[in-house]
Amino acid sequence: MRYRIVQLPDGLECSDGPAASWATLLQIRKLLKISGALTNEARSVLSLLLPYLWRA
């Protein structure tokens, strides 16, 4: 599994195929509150977004 952080311009939708999953900052904030919803690797990548997660 590979994690990427991508910022898209407003109004632009993107798809990397059927294996890709996209989440908004609000969805990520909700997932962070659920124990076991994210892997340690995903949490490590998301730690780079902390300044943005708490502004969403």
PDB file of all heavy atoms in Angstrom, residues 22-55:
ATOM      1  N   TRP A  22      -9.932   8.481  -2.026  1.00  0.00           N
ATOM      2  CA  TRP A  22      -9.729   9.897  -1.744  1.00  0.00           C
ATOM      3  C   TRP A  22     -10.492  10.259  -0.492  1.00  0.00           C
ATOM      4  O   TRP A  22     -11.549   9.717  -0.215  1.00  0.00           O
ATOM      5  CB  TRP A  22     -10.221  10.737  -2.919  1.00  0.00           C
ATOM      6  CG  TRP A  22      -9.408  10.545  -4.145  1.00  0.00           C
ATOM      7  CD1 TRP A  22      -9.580   9.570  -5.101  1.00  0.00           C
ATOM      8  CD2 TRP A  22      -8.260  11.280  -4.536  1.00  0.00           C
ATOM      9  NE1 TRP A  22      -8.616   9.681  -6.064  1.00  0.00           N
ATOM     10  CE2 TRP A  22      -7.796  10.726  -5.750  1.00  0.00           C
ATOM     11  CE3 TRP A  22      -7.592  12.366  -3.999  1.00  0.00           C
ATOM     12  CZ2 TRP A  22      -6.695  11.225  -6.424  1.00  0.00           C
ATOM     13  CZ3 TRP A  22      -6.487  12.864  -4.673  1.00  0.00           C
ATOM     14  CH2 TRP A  22      -6.052  12.290  -5.870  1.00  0.00           C
ATOM     15  N   ALA A  23      -9.963  11.198   0.268  1.00  0.00           N
ATOM     16  CA  ALA A  23     -10.637  11.666   1.472  1.00  0.00           C
ATOM     17  C   ALA A  23     -10.422  13.162   1.622  1.00  0.00           C
ATOM     18  O   ALA A  23      -9.337  13.672   1.338  1.00  0.00           O
ATOM     19  CB  ALA A  23     -10.106  10.946   2.708  1.00  0.00           C
ATOM     20  N   THR A  24     -11.466  13.838   2.059  1.00  0.00           N
ATOM     21  CA  THR A  24     -11.336  15.265   2.343  1.00  0.00           C
ATOM     22  C   THR A  24     -10.698  15.424   3.716  1.00  0.00           C
ATOM     23  O   THR A  24     -10.623  14.471   4.507  1.00  0.00           O
ATOM     24  CB  THR A  24     -12.709  15.953   2.344  1.00  0.00           C
ATOM     25  OG1 THR A  24     -13.479  15.416   3.427  1.00  0.00           O
ATOM     26  CG2 THR A  24     -13.437  15.747   1.022  1.00  0.00           C
ATOM     27  N   LEU A  25     -10.254  16.645   4.027  1.00  0.00           N
ATOM     28  CA  LEU A  25      -9.692  16.890   5.353  1.00  0.00           C
ATOM     29  C   LEU A  25     -10.724  16.626   6.444  1.00  0.00           C
ATOM     30  O   LEU A  25     -10.389  16.086   7.500  1.00  0.00           O
ATOM     31  CB  LEU A  25      -9.168  18.319   5.450  1.00  0.00           C
ATOM     32  CG  LEU A  25      -7.922  18.628   4.637  1.00  0.00           C
ATOM     33  CD1 LEU A  25      -7.566  20.104   4.757  1.00  0.00           C
ATOM     34  CD2 LEU A  25      -6.753  17.767   5.072  1.00  0.00           C
ATOM     35  N   LEU A  26     -11.983  16.960   6.194  1.00  0.00           N
ATOM     36  CA  LEU A  26     -13.028  16.702   7.186  1.00  0.00           C
ATOM     37  C   LEU A  26     -13.208  15.200   7.413  1.00  0.00           C
ATOM     38  O   LEU A  26     -13.327  14.747   8.562  1.00  0.00           O
ATOM     39  CB  LEU A  26     -14.343  17.331   6.753  1.00  0.00           C
ATOM     40  CG  LEU A  26     -15.503  17.188   7.723  1.00  0.00           C
ATOM     41  CD1 LEU A  26     -15.160  17.786   9.087  1.00  0.00           C
ATOM     42  CD2 LEU A  26     -16.753  17.840   7.163  1.00  0.00           C
ATOM     43  N   GLN A  27     -13.191  14.404   6.362  1.00  0.00           N
ATOM     44  CA  GLN A  27     -13.306  12.951   6.500  1.00  0.00           C
ATOM     45  C   GLN A  27     -12.125  12.385   7.282  1.00  0.00           C
ATOM     46  O   GLN A  27     -12.296  11.498   8.123  1.00  0.00           O
ATOM     47  CB  GLN A  27     -13.394  12.288   5.118  1.00  0.00           C
ATOM     48  CG  GLN A  27     -14.673  12.585   4.388  1.00  0.00           C
ATOM     49  CD  GLN A  27     -14.614  12.150   2.937  1.00  0.00           C
ATOM     50  OE1 GLN A  27     -13.573  12.202   2.283  1.00  0.00           O
ATOM     51  NE2 GLN A  27     -15.754  11.714   2.416  1.00  0.00           N
ATOM     52  N   ILE A  28     -10.935  12.901   7.033  1.00  0.00           N
ATOM     53  CA  ILE A  28      -9.742  12.438   7.738  1.00  0.00           C
ATOM     54  C   ILE A  28      -9.850  12.780   9.222  1.00  0.00           C
ATOM     55  O   ILE A  28      -9.538  11.953  10.082  1.00  0.00           O
ATOM     56  CB  ILE A  28      -8.470  13.036   7.111  1.00  0.00           C
ATOM     57  CG1 ILE A  28      -8.260  12.450   5.706  1.00  0.00           C
ATOM     58  CG2 ILE A  28      -7.253  12.771   7.987  1.00  0.00           C
ATOM     59  CD1 ILE A  28      -7.206  13.161   4.901  1.00  0.00           C
ATOM     60  N   ARG A  29     -10.320  13.983   9.526  1.00  0.00           N
ATOM     61  CA  ARG A  29     -10.503  14.364  10.938  1.00  0.00           C
ATOM     62  C   ARG A  29     -11.415  13.390  11.653  1.00  0.00           C
ATOM     63  O   ARG A  29     -11.158  12.991  12.785  1.00  0.00           O
ATOM     64  CB  ARG A  29     -11.097  15.767  11.028  1.00  0.00           C
ATOM     65  CG  ARG A  29     -10.096  16.869  10.897  1.00  0.00           C
ATOM     66  CD  ARG A  29     -10.730  18.206  11.035  1.00  0.00           C
ATOM     67  NE  ARG A  29     -11.059  18.474  12.426  1.00  0.00           N
ATOM     68  CZ  ARG A  29     -11.576  19.607  12.850  1.00  0.00           C
ATOM     69  NH1 ARG A  29     -11.832  20.572  11.994  1.00  0.00           N
ATOM     70  NH2 ARG A  29     -11.836  19.782  14.116  1.00  0.00           N
ATOM     71  N   LYS A  30     -12.501  12.985  10.990  1.00  0.00           N
ATOM     72  CA  LYS A  30     -13.445  12.038  11.593  1.00  0.00           C
ATOM     73  C   LYS A  30     -12.801  10.665  11.784  1.00  0.00           C
ATOM     74  O   LYS A  30     -13.006  10.007  12.793  1.00  0.00           O
ATOM     75  CB  LYS A  30     -14.704  11.939  10.749  1.00  0.00           C
ATOM     76  CG  LYS A  30     -15.548  13.194  10.814  1.00  0.00           C
ATOM     77  CD  LYS A  30     -16.784  13.079   9.943  1.00  0.00           C
ATOM     78  CE  LYS A  30     -17.620  14.345  10.026  1.00  0.00           C
ATOM     79  NZ  LYS A  30     -18.815  14.268   9.179  1.00  0.00           N
ATOM     80  N   LEU A  31     -12.021  10.222  10.806  1.00  0.00           N
ATOM     81  CA  LEU A  31     -11.354   8.920  10.900  1.00  0.00           C
ATOM     82  C   LEU A  31     -10.332   8.879  12.034  1.00  0.00           C
ATOM     83  O   LEU A  31     -10.152   7.853  12.683  1.00  0.00           O
ATOM     84  CB  LEU A  31     -10.669   8.565   9.583  1.00  0.00           C
ATOM     85  CG  LEU A  31     -11.577   8.129   8.449  1.00  0.00           C
ATOM     86  CD1 LEU A  31     -10.779   7.992   7.158  1.00  0.00           C
ATOM     87  CD2 LEU A  31     -12.274   6.820   8.782  1.00  0.00           C
ATOM     88  N   LEU A  32      -9.664  10.001  12.277  1.00  0.00           N
ATOM     89  CA  LEU A  32      -8.653  10.051  13.332  1.00  0.00           C
ATOM     90  C   LEU A  32      -9.250   9.803  14.714  1.00  0.00           C
ATOM     91  O   LEU A  32      -8.556   9.367  15.627  1.00  0.00           O
ATOM     92  CB  LEU A  32      -7.928  11.399  13.310  1.00  0.00           C
ATOM     93  CG  LEU A  32      -6.949  11.593  12.161  1.00  0.00           C
ATOM     94  CD1 LEU A  32      -6.470  13.040  12.114  1.00  0.00           C
ATOM     95  CD2 LEU A  32      -5.765  10.646  12.288  1.00  0.00           C
ATOM     96  N   LYS A  33     -10.539  10.049  14.864  1.00  0.00           N
ATOM     97  CA  LYS A  33     -11.208   9.861  16.152  1.00  0.00           C
ATOM     98  C   LYS A  33     -11.640   8.414  16.393  1.00  0.00           C
ATOM     99  O   LYS A  33     -12.018   8.058  17.491  1.00  0.00           O
ATOM    100  CB  LYS A  33     -12.427  10.779  16.249  1.00  0.00           C
ATOM    101  CG  LYS A  33     -12.048  12.243  16.257  1.00  0.00           C
ATOM    102  CD  LYS A  33     -13.278  13.121  16.303  1.00  0.00           C
ATOM    103  CE  LYS A  33     -12.879  14.585  16.247  1.00  0.00           C
ATOM    104  NZ  LYS A  33     -14.052  15.461  16.272  1.00  0.00           N
ATOM    105  N   ILE A  34     -11.560   7.577  15.351  1.00  0.00           N
ATOM    106  CA  ILE A  34     -11.994   6.182  15.445  1.00  0.00           C
ATOM    107  C   ILE A  34     -10.780   5.286  15.641  1.00  0.00           C
ATOM    108  O   ILE A  34      -9.900   5.215  14.783  1.00  0.00           O
ATOM    109  CB  ILE A  34     -12.763   5.748  14.173  1.00  0.00           C
ATOM    110  CG1 ILE A  34     -13.978   6.648  13.952  1.00  0.00           C
ATOM    111  CG2 ILE A  34     -13.170   4.282  14.268  1.00  0.00           C
ATOM    112  CD1 ILE A  34     -14.643   6.452  12.607  1.00  0.00           C
ATOM    113  N   SER A  35     -10.733   4.614  16.764  1.00  0.00           N
ATOM    114  CA  SER A  35      -9.608   3.731  17.074  1.00  0.00           C
ATOM    115  C   SER A  35      -9.499   2.617  16.033  1.00  0.00           C
ATOM    116  O   SER A  35     -10.482   1.936  15.736  1.00  0.00           O
ATOM    117  CB  SER A  35      -9.794   3.137  18.469  1.00  0.00           C
ATOM    118  OG  SER A  35      -8.740   2.258  18.766  1.00  0.00           O
ATOM    119  N   GLY A  36      -8.319   2.445  15.471  1.00  0.00           N
ATOM    120  CA  GLY A  36      -8.069   1.361  14.521  1.00  0.00           C
ATOM    121  C   GLY A  36      -8.515   1.648  13.097  1.00  0.00           C
ATOM    122  O   GLY A  36      -8.394   0.781  12.237  1.00  0.00           O
ATOM    123  N   ALA A  37      -9.048   2.860  12.821  1.00  0.00           N
ATOM    124  CA  ALA A  37      -9.541   3.158  11.475  1.00  0.00           C
ATOM    125  C   ALA A  37      -8.399   3.407  10.492  1.00  0.00           C
ATOM    126  O   ALA A  37      -8.571   3.231   9.292  1.00  0.00           O
ATOM    127  CB  ALA A  37     -10.470   4.375  11.505  1.00  0.00           C
ATOM    128  N   LEU A  38      -7.234   3.805  10.998  1.00  0.00           N
ATOM    129  CA  LEU A  38      -6.089   4.093  10.132  1.00  0.00           C
ATOM    130  C   LEU A  38      -4.864   3.317  10.597  1.00  0.00           C
ATOM    131  O   LEU A  38      -4.672   3.104  11.789  1.00  0.00           O
ATOM    132  CB  LEU A  38      -5.772   5.591  10.171  1.00  0.00           C
ATOM    133  CG  LEU A  38      -6.864   6.522   9.660  1.00  0.00           C
ATOM    134  CD1 LEU A  38      -6.535   7.959   9.989  1.00  0.00           C
ATOM    135  CD2 LEU A  38      -7.066   6.347   8.173  1.00  0.00           C
ATOM    136  N   THR A  39      -4.034   2.919   9.664  1.00  0.00           N
ATOM    137  CA  THR A  39      -2.799   2.215  10.006  1.00  0.00           C
ATOM    138  C   THR A  39      -1.784   3.204  10.573  1.00  0.00           C
ATOM    139  O   THR A  39      -1.928   4.421  10.418  1.00  0.00           O
ATOM    140  CB  THR A  39      -2.173   1.551   8.765  1.00  0.00           C
ATOM    141  OG1 THR A  39      -1.803   2.577   7.839  1.00  0.00           O
ATOM    142  CG2 THR A  39      -3.126   0.566   8.110  1.00  0.00           C
ATOM    143  N   ASN A  40      -0.760   2.687  11.201  1.00  0.00           N
ATOM    144  CA  ASN A  40       0.313   3.547  11.712  1.00  0.00           C
ATOM    145  C   ASN A  40       0.981   4.313  10.581  1.00  0.00           C
ATOM    146  O   ASN A  40       1.356   5.474  10.743  1.00  0.00           O
ATOM    147  CB  ASN A  40       1.366   2.724  12.460  1.00  0.00           C
ATOM    148  CG  ASN A  40       0.875   2.264  13.808  1.00  0.00           C
ATOM    149  OD1 ASN A  40      -0.022   2.865  14.385  1.00  0.00           O
ATOM    150  ND2 ASN A  40       1.467   1.203  14.310  1.00  0.00           N
ATOM    151  N   GLU A  41       1.116   3.680   9.417  1.00  0.00           N
ATOM    152  CA  GLU A  41       1.728   4.346   8.280  1.00  0.00           C
ATOM    153  C   GLU A  41       0.875   5.524   7.820  1.00  0.00           C
ATOM    154  O   GLU A  41       1.387   6.597   7.530  1.00  0.00           O
ATOM    155  CB  GLU A  41       1.937   3.364   7.120  1.00  0.00           C
ATOM    156  CG  GLU A  41       2.971   2.306   7.393  1.00  0.00           C
ATOM    157  CD  GLU A  41       2.428   1.108   8.172  1.00  0.00           C
ATOM    158  OE1 GLU A  41       1.230   1.073   8.527  1.00  0.00           O
ATOM    159  OE2 GLU A  41       3.233   0.195   8.444  1.00  0.00           O
ATOM    160  N   ALA A  42      -0.433   5.316   7.768  1.00  0.00           N
ATOM    161  CA  ALA A  42      -1.335   6.403   7.367  1.00  0.00           C
ATOM    162  C   ALA A  42      -1.276   7.535   8.384  1.00  0.00           C
ATOM    163  O   ALA A  42      -1.246   8.709   8.018  1.00  0.00           O
ATOM    164  CB  ALA A  42      -2.764   5.884   7.233  1.00  0.00           C
ATOM    165  N   ARG A  43      -1.239   7.201   9.658  1.00  0.00           N
ATOM    166  CA  ARG A  43      -1.146   8.238  10.689  1.00  0.00           C
ATOM    167  C   ARG A  43       0.163   9.018  10.568  1.00  0.00           C
ATOM    168  O   ARG A  43       0.192  10.232  10.772  1.00  0.00           O
ATOM    169  CB  ARG A  43      -1.274   7.623  12.078  1.00  0.00           C
ATOM    170  CG  ARG A  43      -2.685   7.191  12.401  1.00  0.00           C
ATOM    171  CD  ARG A  43      -2.753   6.578  13.799  1.00  0.00           C
ATOM    172  NE  ARG A  43      -4.096   6.225  14.131  1.00  0.00           N
ATOM    173  CZ  ARG A  43      -4.971   7.037  14.729  1.00  0.00           C
ATOM    174  NH1 ARG A  43      -4.610   8.249  15.068  1.00  0.00           N
ATOM    175  NH2 ARG A  43      -6.193   6.638  14.993  1.00  0.00           N
ATOM    176  N   SER A  44       1.243   8.345  10.205  1.00  0.00           N
ATOM    177  CA  SER A  44       2.529   9.030  10.031  1.00  0.00           C
ATOM    178  C   SER A  44       2.456  10.028   8.877  1.00  0.00           C
ATOM    179  O   SER A  44       2.927  11.158   8.993  1.00  0.00           O
ATOM    180  CB  SER A  44       3.645   8.028   9.767  1.00  0.00           C
ATOM    181  OG  SER A  44       3.861   7.232  10.903  1.00  0.00           O
ATOM    182  N   VAL A  45       1.857   9.613   7.774  1.00  0.00           N
ATOM    183  CA  VAL A  45       1.707  10.509   6.635  1.00  0.00           C
ATOM    184  C   VAL A  45       0.793  11.677   7.009  1.00  0.00           C
ATOM    185  O   VAL A  45       1.080  12.832   6.701  1.00  0.00           O
ATOM    186  CB  VAL A  45       1.145   9.755   5.405  1.00  0.00           C
ATOM    187  CG1 VAL A  45       0.751  10.714   4.305  1.00  0.00           C
ATOM    188  CG2 VAL A  45       2.146   8.743   4.894  1.00  0.00           C
ATOM    189  N   LEU A  46      -0.283  11.382   7.712  1.00  0.00           N
ATOM    190  CA  LEU A  46      -1.224  12.432   8.089  1.00  0.00           C
ATOM    191  C   LEU A  46      -0.633  13.419   9.080  1.00  0.00           C
ATOM    192  O   LEU A  46      -1.088  14.559   9.168  1.00  0.00           O
ATOM    193  CB  LEU A  46      -2.501  11.813   8.650  1.00  0.00           C
ATOM    194  CG  LEU A  46      -3.335  11.061   7.624  1.00  0.00           C
ATOM    195  CD1 LEU A  46      -4.513  10.369   8.294  1.00  0.00           C
ATOM    196  CD2 LEU A  46      -3.808  11.988   6.531  1.00  0.00           C
ATOM    197  N   SER A  47       0.388  13.004   9.810  1.00  0.00           N
ATOM    198  CA  SER A  47       1.007  13.930  10.752  1.00  0.00           C
ATOM    199  C   SER A  47       1.576  15.145  10.020  1.00  0.00           C
ATOM    200  O   SER A  47       1.690  16.224  10.585  1.00  0.00           O
ATOM    201  CB  SER A  47       2.088  13.236  11.575  1.00  0.00           C
ATOM    202  OG  SER A  47       3.204  12.919  10.772  1.00  0.00           O
ATOM    203  N   LEU A  48       1.883  14.977   8.728  1.00  0.00           N
ATOM    204  CA  LEU A  48       2.360  16.099   7.920  1.00  0.00           C
ATOM    205  C   LEU A  48       1.252  17.118   7.657  1.00  0.00           C
ATOM    206  O   LEU A  48       1.521  18.268   7.319  1.00  0.00           O
ATOM    207  CB  LEU A  48       2.916  15.597   6.589  1.00  0.00           C
ATOM    208  CG  LEU A  48       4.080  14.615   6.682  1.00  0.00           C
ATOM    209  CD1 LEU A  48       4.381  14.035   5.312  1.00  0.00           C
ATOM    210  CD2 LEU A  48       5.296  15.288   7.266  1.00  0.00           C
ATOM    211  N   LEU A  49       0.006  16.682   7.810  1.00  0.00           N
ATOM    212  CA  LEU A  49      -1.133  17.553   7.534  1.00  0.00           C
ATOM    213  C   LEU A  49      -1.731  18.187   8.784  1.00  0.00           C
ATOM    214  O   LEU A  49      -2.728  18.906   8.690  1.00  0.00           O
ATOM    215  CB  LEU A  49      -2.245  16.745   6.844  1.00  0.00           C
ATOM    216  CG  LEU A  49      -1.954  16.233   5.446  1.00  0.00           C
ATOM    217  CD1 LEU A  49      -3.107  15.379   4.952  1.00  0.00           C
ATOM    218  CD2 LEU A  49      -1.716  17.381   4.497  1.00  0.00           C
ATOM    219  N   LEU A  50      -1.168  17.940   9.943  1.00  0.00           N
ATOM    220  CA  LEU A  50      -1.771  18.433  11.188  1.00  0.00           C
ATOM    221  C   LEU A  50      -2.124  19.921  11.154  1.00  0.00           C
ATOM    222  O   LEU A  50      -3.216  20.295  11.599  1.00  0.00           O
ATOM    223  CB  LEU A  50      -0.876  18.109  12.385  1.00  0.00           C
ATOM    224  CG  LEU A  50      -0.891  16.651  12.812  1.00  0.00           C
ATOM    225  CD1 LEU A  50       0.104  16.432  13.943  1.00  0.00           C
ATOM    226  CD2 LEU A  50      -2.272  16.191  13.210  1.00  0.00           C
ATOM    227  N   PRO A  51      -1.257  20.782  10.636  1.00  0.00           N
ATOM    228  CA  PRO A  51      -1.642  22.202  10.601  1.00  0.00           C
ATOM    229  C   PRO A  51      -2.932  22.452   9.802  1.00  0.00           C
ATOM    230  O   PRO A  51      -3.697  23.341  10.115  1.00  0.00           O
ATOM    231  CB  PRO A  51      -0.456  22.882   9.920  1.00  0.00           C
ATOM    232  CG  PRO A  51       0.685  21.955  10.103  1.00  0.00           C
ATOM    233  CD  PRO A  51       0.091  20.575  10.124  1.00  0.00           C
ATOM    234  N   TYR A  52      -3.173  21.638   8.785  1.00  0.00           N
ATOM    235  CA  TYR A  52      -4.358  21.826   7.942  1.00  0.00           C
ATOM    236  C   TYR A  52      -5.586  21.133   8.513  1.00  0.00           C
ATOM    237  O   TYR A  52      -6.694  21.601   8.355  1.00  0.00           O
ATOM    238  CB  TYR A  52      -4.088  21.281   6.529  1.00  0.00           C
ATOM    239  CG  TYR A  52      -2.881  21.912   5.893  1.00  0.00           C
ATOM    240  CD1 TYR A  52      -1.666  21.245   5.872  1.00  0.00           C
ATOM    241  CD2 TYR A  52      -2.944  23.179   5.339  1.00  0.00           C
ATOM    242  CE1 TYR A  52      -0.548  21.827   5.296  1.00  0.00           C
ATOM    243  CE2 TYR A  52      -1.829  23.775   4.766  1.00  0.00           C
ATOM    244  CZ  TYR A  52      -0.640  23.078   4.755  1.00  0.00           C
ATOM    245  OH  TYR A  52       0.454  23.663   4.188  1.00  0.00           O
ATOM    246  N   LEU A  53      -5.387  19.997   9.181  1.00  0.00           N
ATOM    247  CA  LEU A  53      -6.507  19.244   9.732  1.00  0.00           C
ATOM    248  C   LEU A  53      -7.269  20.023  10.786  1.00  0.00           C
ATOM    249  O   LEU A  53      -8.481  19.901  10.902  1.00  0.00           O
ATOM    250  CB  LEU A  53      -6.034  17.910  10.320  1.00  0.00           C
ATOM    251  CG  LEU A  53      -5.603  16.869   9.310  1.00  0.00           C
ATOM    252  CD1 LEU A  53      -4.942  15.694  10.009  1.00  0.00           C
ATOM    253  CD2 LEU A  53      -6.783  16.404   8.503  1.00  0.00           C
ATOM    254  N   TRP A  54      -6.601  20.796  11.557  1.00  0.00           N
ATOM    255  CA  TRP A  54      -7.286  21.502  12.645  1.00  0.00           C
ATOM    256  C   TRP A  54      -7.852  22.835  12.181  1.00  0.00           C
ATOM    257  O   TRP A  54      -8.521  23.505  12.928  1.00  0.00           O
ATOM    258  CB  TRP A  54      -6.369  21.638  13.839  1.00  0.00           C
ATOM    259  CG  TRP A  54      -5.902  20.280  14.259  1.00  0.00           C
ATOM    260  CD1 TRP A  54      -4.604  19.889  14.445  1.00  0.00           C
ATOM    261  CD2 TRP A  54      -6.690  19.106  14.497  1.00  0.00           C
ATOM    262  NE1 TRP A  54      -4.563  18.554  14.771  1.00  0.00           N
ATOM    263  CE2 TRP A  54      -5.817  18.047  14.803  1.00  0.00           C
ATOM    264  CE3 TRP A  54      -8.052  18.838  14.447  1.00  0.00           C
ATOM    265  CZ2 TRP A  54      -6.258  16.755  15.088  1.00  0.00           C
ATOM    266  CZ3 TRP A  54      -8.496  17.545  14.715  1.00  0.00           C
ATOM    267  CH2 TRP A  54      -7.608  16.526  15.032  1.00  0.00           C
ATOM    268  N   ARG A  55      -7.602  23.228  10.934  1.00  0.00           N
ATOM    269  CA  ARG A  55      -8.227  24.424  10.366  1.00  0.00           C
ATOM    270  C   ARG A  55      -9.470  24.070   9.584  1.00  0.00           C
ATOM    271  O   ARG A  55     -10.288  24.925   9.316  1.00  0.00           O
ATOM    272  CB  ARG A  55      -7.262  25.143   9.422  1.00  0.00           C
ATOM    273  CG  ARG A  55      -6.248  25.986  10.146  1.00  0.00           C
ATOM    274  CD  ARG A  55      -5.563  26.907   9.194  1.00  0.00           C
ATOM    275  NE  ARG A  55      -4.446  26.202   8.577  1.00  0.00           N
ATOM    276  CZ  ARG A  55      -3.875  26.562   7.465  1.00  0.00           C
ATOM    277  NH1 ARG A  55      -4.294  27.603   6.796  1.00  0.00           N
ATOM    278  NH2 ARG A  55      -2.853  25.892   6.988  1.00  0.00           N
TER     279      ARG A  55
END
